[in-house]
Amino acid sequence: MTTSSPSRTAACALCDDLKYIVERGSRWTLALNLNQSLPGRCVLVLNRHAEDVRELAVEEWSDLHEQIAMATAALDVLFDPDLYNYAFLMNQDAHVHLHVVPRYSSPREWRGERFVDSHFGGLFGTEQRQLSREALEDLRDAIRERLPDA
C-alpha cells in the first residue's frame, strides 16, 4: 500500500536550502551532513519533494543504489571506513533522504583534527561536531574529486 505525501505547504530545508552539495544527479543529490562527528557523513536527498520512502519509484530506488556505491567509493578512498550505516531518519526534515554514515574502529584525521568513533560496534551517537565553513567546503571538494566516473 502506498501513501501519498500531503501537499507541501511549509518550507522544506532540503528542497529550498540544501548546503554543501557534492553532486546533484538526476534523481538524488549527495550533500554533506552538517554534523561531521564522523568524518564524511553525507546524505542522499531525493530531488523531488516526498515525505515517505514508500513513494519512491522503482527508478529512484535503482538510482539510489548507484548513488550509494559512488558516495561510498569516494569515502573509501578518502577515509577508509571500516563499515557504513545507512538510515532514513526523517525526524527533523520531512523529506526523503538517506544518511550515509561511515564508521571507524580507530581514529581518523582530517585537516589536522582528530575524529574518534566512540560508539563503533553500536549505534552511532548523538554527538554534534560542527566544522568551519571552510573545512566543510574542503571536505565537499575532496569527496567530489574522488567520486568515480558514472
Side-chain angles (χ1 to χ4, degrees):
M1 175 179 197
T2 302
T3 62
S4 59
S5 293
S7 357
R8 183 174 166 234
T9 56
C12 172
L14 297 183
C15 286
D16 303 330
D17 195 29
L18 188 61
K19 301 202 183 319
Y20 303 105
I21 294 172
V22 176
E23 181 176 76
R24 189 178 301 275
S26 61
R27 294 183 180 94
W28 296 91
T29 295
L30 176 64
L32 292 182
N33 188 318
L34 296 180
N35 176 11
Q36 287 296 312
S37 60
L38 299 167
R41 284 179 74 149
C42 294
V43 289
L44 282 160
V45 179
L46 186 62
N47 287 347
R48 67 178 178 87
H49 187 80
E51 296 181 4
D52 191 318
V53 296
R54 296 174 293 177
E55 295 177 45
L56 293 177
V58 170
E59 298 81 16
E60 291 167 330
W61 279 111
S62 178
D63 191 44
L64 178 60
H65 181 265
E66 292 175 24
Q67 296 301 316
I68 291 168
M70 286 179 47
T72 55
L75 293 172
D76 286 346
V77 171
L78 193 57
F79 292 113
D80 191 27
D82 296 290
L83 59 93
Y84 289 92
N85 292 156
Y86 305 95
F88 287 104
L89 302 173
M90 295 178 294
N91 301 320
Q92 293 179 345
D93 294 304
H95 181 116
V96 173
H97 62 286
L98 176 71
H99 291 260
V100 177
V101 185
R103 301 300 305 271
Y104 305 102
S105 64
S106 59
R108 296 301 195 271
E109 301 280 331
W110 171 250
R111 295 182 81 222
E113 291 189 55
R114 183 179 166 97
F115 296 82
V116 176
D117 185 348
S118 59
H119 302 281
F120 185 78
L123 297 176
F124 52 88
T126 59
E127 296 84 3
Q128 296 286 313
R129 185 158 182 183
Q130 302 297 315
L131 302 181
S132 69
R133 180 184 56 80
E134 182 181 82
L136 287 168
E137 289 172 352
D138 287 351
L139 181 56
R140 175 203 60 205
D141 295 346
I143 295 170
R144 184 182 292 151
E145 290 168 7
R146 288 160 178 83
L147 288 173
D149 294 330

